């Protein structure tokens, strides 16, 4: 898997052709993404919140699954690069997925779209699109099934680096529904690639994948133990619909066991930061006092999400551009 | 780039900077500009601007531009892997700007820099100061203040090295920079 990811995502000069998963990407390319994003942070604060880098390019947001925040920040990122954006919200439930996806792809390619940003409920959907996209068309994974959400992981890494400076020496706890979380998978890969000292996952047994330990993490079931002396706490969203199943006790009980309160937060390092990919279920994953407190960097994550997505979009479009030129020569 | 030769050593460059500072001083007095805002273009232009800024005793902090997001060859060479944030700490609206770069060659860098400045606001004027004004212009852009007009062949490439000590080196122009090298900013 790792090797094919590398072959699909990078060209011979180690430039990004697509951005589908953290798996297969090394520390230098992740650092390059973070450094490039650093350059884009100022753009949002200027009189004219745009750079002309991707002028004349067409980016299609292909969302087979609902999302407000991710789609909006991708759209804003593409627009701040001066690209034109098509937003397509396509219900995946209607017809057989493979054919629908390819048909949609071919139609958009006939309109000379330069990039697909895809979110899909099926794991591997973005890979599938990248494998079938025309040469010169880049694909970014905006979340596929339980598999990966690599841009979310990168904006989280950017947030951590902005607050902590270095990754080496950090202890990071990821708390909540690890089992269903594509965000957690991508975060664990990115944190380990960037060389943090320790990644912990904190969850009840029912919300942990059976192979959790093979991901390179320390597993904790007790929240108080898991949060002790960490530098960064990443809370995951609990999908409330799962409450009804046998996987979880009541919301109230979940909060008492795995909800982040000020008392628990005091067990972490004094300068610890609290993150959450949003949207927050207040009173389920965390107390409002924590969500709105001084250690919360949740809204900064949203702002940084634009810079990170600008970096990834422009890097992919830049590489794909060069590829088409090579064909033309 | 092993066949580089020294074109000018630090003391020569420093005395050129003194001359440039004098010319800028005269020019802003002639134009009755009291508080200019100095902006250097990364990387060599910033080294130069730091020295000029100090010599002229300018009050407002120095601005820096990274023109990577405004390059006209992005579609050919892709993203510069070593981009830095631009930093214009003071609003440029209605201000007189002195834009500083190391080598003026094709004029494309200055075109990009002008576009970027205008995305920050509407300056009252922009004056261009470059250490080296060489032949090979591809756009109608000329410096207001310059230190040196060397006579160079089209395939020769002059570069400011620094930040300490500064020096000018001469080498054969590389056709296209490979990844990891500093990109050919004066293209």
């Amino acid at each position: 898997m790792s090797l094919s990811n590398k072959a699909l995502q990078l060209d011979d000069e180690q430039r990004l052709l697509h951005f589908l998963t953290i798996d297969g990407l090394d520390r230098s390319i992740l650092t390059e993404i973070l450094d490039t994003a650093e350059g884009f942070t100022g753009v949002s604060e200027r009189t004219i919140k745009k750079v002309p880098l991707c002028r004349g390019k067409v980016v299609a947001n292909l969302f087979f699954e609902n999302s407000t925040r991710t789609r909006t920040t991708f759209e804003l990122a593409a627009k701040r690069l001066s690209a034109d954006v098509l937003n397509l919200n396509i219900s995946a439930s209607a017809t057989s997925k493979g054919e629908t996806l390819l048909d949609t792809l071919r139609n958009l390619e006939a309109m000379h779209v330069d990039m697909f940003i895809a979110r899909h409920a099926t794991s591997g959907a973005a890979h599938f699109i990248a494998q079938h996209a025309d040469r010169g068309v880049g694909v970014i994974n905006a979340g596929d099934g339980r598999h990966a959400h690599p841009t979310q992981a990168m904006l989280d890494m950017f947030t951590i680096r902005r607050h902590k400076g270095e990754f080496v020496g950090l202890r990071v706890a990821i708390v909540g529904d690890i089992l269903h979380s594509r965000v957690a998978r991508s975060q664990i890969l990115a944190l380990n690639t960037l060389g943090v000292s320790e990644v912990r996952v904190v969850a009840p047994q029912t919300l942990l994948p059976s192979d959790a330990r093979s991901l390179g993490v320390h597993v904790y079931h007790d929240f108080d133990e898991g949060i002790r002396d960490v530098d960064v706490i990443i809370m995951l969203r609990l999908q409330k619909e799962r409450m009804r199943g046998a996987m979880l006790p009541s919301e109230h009980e979940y909060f008492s066991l795995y909800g982040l309160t000020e008392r628990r937060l005091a067990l972490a390092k004094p300068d610890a930061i609290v993150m959450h990919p949003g949207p927050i279920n207040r009173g389920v994953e965390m107390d409002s006092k924590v969500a709105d407190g001084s250690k919360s960097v949740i809204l900064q994550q949203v702002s940084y999400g634009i810079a990170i997505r600008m970096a990834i979009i422009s890097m992919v479009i830049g590489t794909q551009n060069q590829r088409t030129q090579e064909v033309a020569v | 780039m092993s066949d580089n030769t020294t074109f000018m050593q630090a003391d020569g460059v420093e005395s050129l900077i003194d001359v440039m500072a004098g010319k800028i001083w005269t020019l802003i007095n002639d134009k009755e500009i009291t508080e200019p805002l100095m902006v250097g273009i990364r990387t060599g232009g910033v080294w130069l601007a730091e020295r000029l800024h100090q010599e002229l005793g300018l009050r407002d902090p120095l601005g820096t531009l990274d023109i990577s997001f405004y390059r006209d060859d992005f579609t050919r060479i892709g993203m510069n892997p070593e981009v830095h944030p631009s930093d214009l700490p003071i609003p440029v609206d209605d201000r007189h700007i002195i834009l500083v770069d190391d080598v003026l060659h094709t004029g494309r860098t200055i075109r990009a820099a002008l576009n970027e400045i205008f995305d920050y606001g509407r300056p009252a004027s922009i004056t261009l100061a470059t250490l080296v004004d060489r032949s090979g212009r591809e756009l109608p852009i000329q410096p207001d203040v310059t230190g040196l007009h060397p006579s160079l062949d089209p395939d020769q490439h002059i570069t400011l090295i620094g930040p300490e000590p500064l020096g000018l080196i001469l080498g054969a122009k590389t056709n296209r920079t490979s990844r990891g090298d500093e990109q050919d900013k004066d293209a």
Side-chain angles (χ1 to χ4, degrees):
Chain A
M1 184 83 178
S2 183
L3 201 70
S4 69
N5 281 335
K6 196 171 178 180
L8 192 57
Q9 293 194 103
L10 298 173
D11 72 357
D12 296 342
E13 290 183 71
Q14 303 296 300
R15 292 170 178 244
L16 277 182
L17 283 168
H18 304 287
F19 190 66
L20 309 171
T21 169
I22 305 290
D23 192 17
L25 301 180
D26 65 14
R27 190 184 295 191
S28 68
I29 189 100
L30 298 190
T31 305
E32 189 181 325
I33 292 170
L34 298 175
D35 290 346
T36 306
E38 202 68 51
F40 283 118
T41 50
V43 175
S44 300
E45 288 149 27
R46 304 188 327 196
T47 310
I48 295 175
K49 300 180 186 65
K50 259 183 192 298
V51 293
L53 215 48
C54 299
R55 202 164 71 94
K57 298 292 172 190
V58 182
V59 172
N61 268 332
L62 216 54
F63 277 58
F64 293 88
E65 209 183 53
N66 283 335
S67 153
T68 309
R69 189 181 333 251
T70 303
R71 191 190 55 71
T72 312
T73 49
F74 265 117
E75 179 176 354
L76 212 47
K79 285 181 170 171
R80 287 193 180 160
L81 292 166
S82 304
D84 295 312
V85 182
L86 291 174
N87 283 315
L88 297 132
N89 294 309
I90 308 152
S91 164
S93 57
T95 40
S96 92
K97 285 169 199 161
E99 278 188 289
T100 308
L101 203 55
L102 270 185
D103 275 348
T104 310
L105 219 60
R106 295 287 169 253
N107 275 282
L108 287 164
E109 278 173 355
M111 299 177 207
H112 300 286
V113 166
D114 299 285
M115 171 174 275
F116 293 113
I117 295 169
R119 167 168 287 200
H120 202 287
T122 309
S123 298
H127 281 74
F128 177 81
I129 295 171
Q131 278 157 350
H132 291 87
D134 269 352
R135 191 182 172 89
V137 176
V139 178
I140 295 179
N141 185 3
D144 62 327
R146 292 184 190 183
H147 172 239
H149 193 353
T151 61
Q152 174 71 44
M154 289 311 294
L155 77 86
D156 294 333
M157 299 308 112
F158 190 70
T159 308
I160 292 171
R161 195 176 76 166
R162 280 226 143 191
H163 282 272
K164 300 292 174 192
E166 296 282 331
F167 291 98
V168 177
L170 291 184
R171 202 173 279 152
V172 182
I174 305 173
V175 186
D177 184 357
I178 312 287
L179 178 64
H180 300 97
S181 178
R182 55 193 175 204
V183 174
R185 268 165 224 282
S186 293
Q187 284 167 339
I188 292 166
L189 281 166
L191 287 165
N192 281 327
T193 305
L194 289 164
V196 298
S197 295
E198 186 187 2
V199 182
R200 299 177 179 180
V201 296
V202 185
Q205 192 66 51
T206 49
L207 292 181
L208 276 173
S210 53
D211 63 343
R213 283 184 175 80
S214 70
L215 300 172
V217 297
H218 290 124
V219 175
Y220 288 80
H221 298 303
D222 183 293
F223 194 3
D224 288 5
E225 282 307 307
I227 201 178
R228 203 175 295 280
D229 295 326
V230 298
D231 301 276
V232 177
I233 304 160
I234 302 175
M235 302 300 295
L236 297 175
R237 192 175 112 78
L238 193 72
Q239 279 144 30
K240 287 190 178 182
E241 54 275 18
R242 300 208 174 90
M243 290 287 187
R244 287 183 222 106
M247 278 178 171
L248 283 174
S250 68
E251 273 185 25
H252 179 74
E253 200 181 338
Y254 182 85
F255 181 72
S256 74
L257 289 171
Y258 292 101
L260 185 60
T261 58
E262 285 185 313
R263 180 195 68 78
R264 283 203 168 110
L265 185 51
L267 298 170
K269 284 203 182 147
D271 62 348
I273 54 170
V274 176
M275 296 166 59
H276 191 297
I280 314 170
N281 294 310
R282 287 170 185 265
V284 181
E285 296 116 32
M286 68 171 79
D287 195 274
S288 273
K289 279 184 187 159
V290 175
D292 305 326
S294 61
K295 292 179 178 174
S296 164
V297 296
I298 295 167
L299 290 175
Q300 288 176 32
Q301 286 175 267
V302 179
S303 305
Y304 293 155
I306 298 170
I308 274 290
R309 287 168 178 137
M310 286 173 82
I312 294 166
I313 292 171
S314 58
M315 286 168 75
V316 169
I317 285 185
T319 317
Q320 292 287 358
N321 261 327
Q322 208 182 1
R323 229 179 161 202
T324 27
Q325 297 241 336
E326 282 161 8
V327 175
V329 168
Chain B
M1 298 275 276
S2 55
D3 52 350
N4 286 329
T5 54
T6 302
F7 184 83
M8 184 180 278
Q9 289 183 331
D11 52 350
V13 174
E14 297 291 350
S15 62
L16 282 182
I17 294 173
D18 290 344
V19 173
M20 285 176 73
K23 286 183 185 173
I24 293 171
W25 186 250
T26 309
L27 191 70
I28 59 178
N29 279 322
D30 288 352
K31 289 186 176 178
E32 297 179 356
I33 295 168
T34 49
E35 287 186 12
L37 206 56
M38 188 167 277
V39 176
I41 301 174
R42 265 181 204 286
T43 308
V46 174
W47 301 332
L48 207 60
E50 280 166 351
R51 286 167 166 79
L52 290 169
H53 187 269
Q54 196 179 3
E55 281 203 34
L56 292 166
L58 301 183
R59 205 184 310 164
D60 287 320
L62 179 67
T64 58
L65 282 185
D66 186 314
I67 54 115
S68 297
F69 302 147
Y70 289 78
R71 295 177 63 106
D72 61 8
D73 53 3
F74 170 69
T75 55
R76 287 196 225 168
I77 61 172
M79 180 60 93
N80 174 4
E82 286 172 23
V83 60
H84 293 86
S86 290
D87 178 28
L88 295 186
I90 306 286
V92 299
D93 285 304
D94 303 319
R95 297 297 303 267
H96 294 279
I97 291 176
I98 302 168
L99 182 62
V100 181
D101 202 8
D102 47 4
V103 180
L104 178 59
H105 183 196
T106 62
R108 290 177 192 269
T109 297
I110 304 304
R111 193 284 307 167
L114 293 175
N115 281 19
E116 179 158 11
I117 290 170
F118 277 81
D119 281 353
Y120 280 87
R122 185 180 186 276
S125 73
I126 300 179
T127 300
L128 177 61
T130 66
L131 180 68
V132 177
D133 172 15
R134 65 158 296 175
S135 54
R137 207 81 77 245
E138 293 167 2
L139 296 174
I141 286 170
Q142 309 306 335
D144 299 290
V145 169
T146 187
L148 193 67
H149 297 268
S151 172
L152 299 174
D153 295 333
D155 63 344
Q156 283 183 307
H157 192 53
I158 191 164
T159 311
L160 182 69
I161 53 164
E164 197 64 59
L166 292 176
L168 283 169
I169 56 165
L170 204 56
K173 195 173 169 76
T174 48
N175 194 13
R176 202 178 72 185
T177 54
S178 69
R179 185 167 165 74
D181 292 349
E182 191 186 356
Q183 288 193 30
D184 182 12
K185 184 169 73 61
D186 92 3

mmCIF file of all heavy atoms in Angstrom, chain B residues 146-166:
data_model
loop_
_atom_site.group_PDB
_atom_site.id
_atom_site.type_symbol
_atom_site.label_atom_id
_atom_site.label_comp_id
_atom_site.label_asym_id
_atom_site.label_seq_id
_atom_site.Cartn_x
_atom_site.Cartn_y
_atom_site.Cartn_z
ATOM 1 N N THR B 146 20.728 53.010 -8.937
ATOM 2 C CA THR B 146 21.439 51.763 -9.140
ATOM 3 C C THR B 146 22.904 51.940 -8.749
ATOM 4 O O THR B 146 23.430 53.055 -8.736
ATOM 5 C CB THR B 146 21.282 51.289 -10.602
ATOM 6 O OG1 THR B 146 21.845 49.998 -10.724
ATOM 7 C CG2 THR B 146 21.961 52.215 -11.579
ATOM 8 N N GLY B 147 23.570 50.813 -8.401
ATOM 9 C CA GLY B 147 24.959 50.888 -7.976
ATOM 10 C C GLY B 147 25.931 50.611 -9.106
ATOM 11 O O GLY B 147 27.018 51.170 -9.150
ATOM 12 N N LEU B 148 25.543 49.775 -10.033
ATOM 13 C CA LEU B 148 26.497 49.239 -10.992
ATOM 14 C C LEU B 148 25.814 48.839 -12.298
ATOM 15 O O LEU B 148 24.726 48.265 -12.276
ATOM 16 C CB LEU B 148 27.122 47.981 -10.348
ATOM 17 C CG LEU B 148 28.351 47.342 -10.937
ATOM 18 C CD1 LEU B 148 29.543 48.280 -10.794
ATOM 19 C CD2 LEU B 148 28.631 46.029 -10.194
ATOM 20 N N HIS B 149 26.456 49.159 -13.429
ATOM 21 C CA HIS B 149 25.974 48.694 -14.749
ATOM 22 C C HIS B 149 27.040 47.817 -15.386
ATOM 23 O O HIS B 149 27.808 48.301 -16.194
ATOM 24 C CB HIS B 149 25.751 49.869 -15.710
ATOM 25 C CG HIS B 149 24.709 50.826 -15.281
ATOM 26 N ND1 HIS B 149 23.397 50.728 -15.651
ATOM 27 C CD2 HIS B 149 24.807 51.938 -14.520
ATOM 28 C CE1 HIS B 149 22.716 51.728 -15.130
ATOM 29 N NE2 HIS B 149 23.552 52.487 -14.438
ATOM 30 N N PRO B 150 27.158 46.562 -15.033
ATOM 31 C CA PRO B 150 28.218 45.753 -15.629
ATOM 32 C C PRO B 150 27.876 45.382 -17.073
ATOM 33 O O PRO B 150 26.691 45.285 -17.437
ATOM 34 C CB PRO B 150 28.244 44.510 -14.745
ATOM 35 C CG PRO B 150 26.862 44.384 -14.233
ATOM 36 C CD PRO B 150 26.307 45.765 -14.128
ATOM 37 N N SER B 151 28.889 45.177 -17.850
ATOM 38 C CA SER B 151 28.683 44.713 -19.213
ATOM 39 C C SER B 151 28.792 43.192 -19.206
ATOM 40 O O SER B 151 29.864 42.644 -18.964
ATOM 41 C CB SER B 151 29.751 45.348 -20.112
ATOM 42 O OG SER B 151 29.676 44.778 -21.378
ATOM 43 N N LEU B 152 27.690 42.510 -19.424
ATOM 44 C CA LEU B 152 27.674 41.050 -19.318
ATOM 45 C C LEU B 152 27.129 40.418 -20.587
ATOM 46 O O LEU B 152 26.308 41.006 -21.290
ATOM 47 C CB LEU B 152 26.788 40.609 -18.146
ATOM 48 C CG LEU B 152 27.166 41.067 -16.735
ATOM 49 C CD1 LEU B 152 26.093 40.650 -15.745
ATOM 50 C CD2 LEU B 152 28.508 40.485 -16.322
ATOM 51 N N ASP B 153 27.613 39.222 -20.875
ATOM 52 C CA ASP B 153 27.045 38.443 -21.975
ATOM 53 C C ASP B 153 25.706 37.879 -21.523
ATOM 54 O O ASP B 153 25.492 37.644 -20.343
ATOM 55 C CB ASP B 153 27.981 37.289 -22.343
ATOM 56 C CG ASP B 153 29.303 37.805 -22.890
ATOM 57 O OD1 ASP B 153 29.309 38.927 -23.440
ATOM 58 O OD2 ASP B 153 30.318 37.097 -22.731
ATOM 59 N N PRO B 154 24.817 37.610 -22.501
ATOM 60 C CA PRO B 154 23.500 37.082 -22.116
ATOM 61 C C PRO B 154 23.578 35.792 -21.303
ATOM 62 O O PRO B 154 22.716 35.537 -20.463
ATOM 63 C CB PRO B 154 22.816 36.827 -23.459
ATOM 64 C CG PRO B 154 23.498 37.734 -24.421
ATOM 65 C CD PRO B 154 24.919 37.850 -23.949
ATOM 66 N N ASP B 155 24.599 34.958 -21.532
ATOM 67 C CA ASP B 155 24.646 33.691 -20.802
ATOM 68 C C ASP B 155 25.388 33.809 -19.473
ATOM 69 O O ASP B 155 25.556 32.827 -18.761
ATOM 70 C CB ASP B 155 25.280 32.597 -21.674
ATOM 71 C CG ASP B 155 26.718 32.913 -22.032
ATOM 72 O OD1 ASP B 155 27.114 34.081 -21.868
ATOM 73 O OD2 ASP B 155 27.428 31.994 -22.472
ATOM 74 N N GLN B 156 25.825 35.007 -19.126
ATOM 75 C CA GLN B 156 26.468 35.193 -17.826
ATOM 76 C C GLN B 156 25.417 35.534 -16.779
ATOM 77 O O GLN B 156 24.402 36.155 -17.090
ATOM 78 C CB GLN B 156 27.511 36.306 -17.899
ATOM 79 C CG GLN B 156 28.791 35.871 -18.577
ATOM 80 C CD GLN B 156 29.818 36.975 -18.570
ATOM 81 O OE1 GLN B 156 29.527 38.091 -19.012
ATOM 82 N NE2 GLN B 156 31.012 36.667 -18.074
ATOM 83 N N HIS B 157 25.713 35.124 -15.588
ATOM 84 C CA HIS B 157 24.728 35.219 -14.515
ATOM 85 C C HIS B 157 25.402 35.856 -13.313
ATOM 86 O O HIS B 157 26.387 35.337 -12.816
ATOM 87 C CB HIS B 157 24.281 33.795 -14.179
ATOM 88 C CG HIS B 157 23.069 33.750 -13.311
ATOM 89 N ND1 HIS B 157 21.912 34.414 -13.625
ATOM 90 C CD2 HIS B 157 22.837 33.107 -12.145
ATOM 91 C CE1 HIS B 157 21.017 34.180 -12.687
ATOM 92 N NE2 HIS B 157 21.557 33.394 -11.766
ATOM 93 N N ILE B 158 24.887 37.001 -12.864
ATOM 94 C CA ILE B 158 25.504 37.667 -11.708
ATOM 95 C C ILE B 158 24.574 37.531 -10.500
ATOM 96 O O ILE B 158 23.361 37.711 -10.614
ATOM 97 C CB ILE B 158 25.849 39.143 -12.038
ATOM 98 C CG1 ILE B 158 26.723 39.744 -10.929
ATOM 99 C CG2 ILE B 158 24.610 39.988 -12.256
ATOM 100 C CD1 ILE B 158 27.419 41.027 -11.347
ATOM 101 N N THR B 159 25.146 37.168 -9.369
ATOM 102 C CA THR B 159 24.338 36.886 -8.174
ATOM 103 C C THR B 159 24.964 37.544 -6.958
ATOM 104 O O THR B 159 26.183 37.527 -6.790
ATOM 105 C CB THR B 159 24.294 35.357 -7.911
ATOM 106 O OG1 THR B 159 23.965 34.700 -9.124
ATOM 107 C CG2 THR B 159 23.248 35.010 -6.870
ATOM 108 N N LEU B 160 24.087 38.099 -6.108
ATOM 109 C CA LEU B 160 24.561 38.629 -4.826
ATOM 110 C C LEU B 160 24.576 37.486 -3.824
ATOM 111 O O LEU B 160 23.583 36.787 -3.669
ATOM 112 C CB LEU B 160 23.641 39.751 -4.342
ATOM 113 C CG LEU B 160 24.046 40.433 -3.025
ATOM 114 C CD1 LEU B 160 25.307 41.264 -3.193
ATOM 115 C CD2 LEU B 160 22.903 41.311 -2.498
ATOM 116 N N ILE B 161 25.704 37.292 -3.159
ATOM 117 C CA ILE B 161 25.754 36.287 -2.095
ATOM 118 C C ILE B 161 25.843 37.014 -0.753
ATOM 119 O O ILE B 161 26.321 38.140 -0.671
ATOM 120 C CB ILE B 161 26.931 35.291 -2.266
ATOM 121 C CG1 ILE B 161 28.257 36.041 -2.438
ATOM 122 C CG2 ILE B 161 26.689 34.374 -3.448
ATOM 123 C CD1 ILE B 161 29.480 35.177 -2.240
ATOM 124 N N GLY B 162 25.410 36.370 0.294
ATOM 125 C CA GLY B 162 25.401 37.004 1.610
ATOM 126 C C GLY B 162 24.777 36.092 2.622
ATOM 127 O O GLY B 162 24.737 34.889 2.396
ATOM 128 N N PRO B 163 24.265 36.560 3.734
ATOM 129 C CA PRO B 163 24.140 37.996 4.057
ATOM 130 C C PRO B 163 25.431 38.625 4.596
ATOM 131 O O PRO B 163 25.555 39.848 4.587
ATOM 132 C CB PRO B 163 23.061 38.018 5.140
ATOM 133 C CG PRO B 163 23.113 36.679 5.768
ATOM 134 C CD PRO B 163 23.581 35.716 4.711
ATOM 135 N N GLU B 164 26.360 37.798 5.068
ATOM 136 C CA GLU B 164 27.557 38.385 5.663
ATOM 137 C C GLU B 164 28.760 37.514 5.360
ATOM 138 O O GLU B 164 28.772 36.351 5.772
ATOM 139 C CB GLU B 164 27.361 38.506 7.183
ATOM 140 C CG GLU B 164 28.313 39.426 7.891
ATOM 141 C CD GLU B 164 28.169 40.875 7.457
ATOM 142 O OE1 GLU B 164 27.074 41.439 7.603
ATOM 143 O OE2 GLU B 164 29.171 41.415 6.951
ATOM 144 N N PRO B 165 29.780 37.951 4.627
ATOM 145 C CA PRO B 165 29.848 39.246 3.957
ATOM 146 C C PRO B 165 29.121 39.208 2.612
ATOM 147 O O PRO B 165 28.903 38.132 2.069
ATOM 148 C CB PRO B 165 31.358 39.422 3.749
ATOM 149 C CG PRO B 165 31.870 38.021 3.579
ATOM 150 C CD PRO B 165 31.004 37.156 4.442
ATOM 151 N N LEU B 166 28.775 40.361 2.109
ATOM 152 C CA LEU B 166 28.148 40.422 0.783
ATOM 153 C C LEU B 166 29.216 40.278 -0.288
ATOM 154 O O LEU B 166 30.373 40.618 -0.077
ATOM 155 C CB LEU B 166 27.428 41.754 0.608
ATOM 156 C CG LEU B 166 26.186 41.984 1.468
ATOM 157 C CD1 LEU B 166 25.644 43.387 1.235
ATOM 158 C CD2 LEU B 166 25.103 40.952 1.163
#
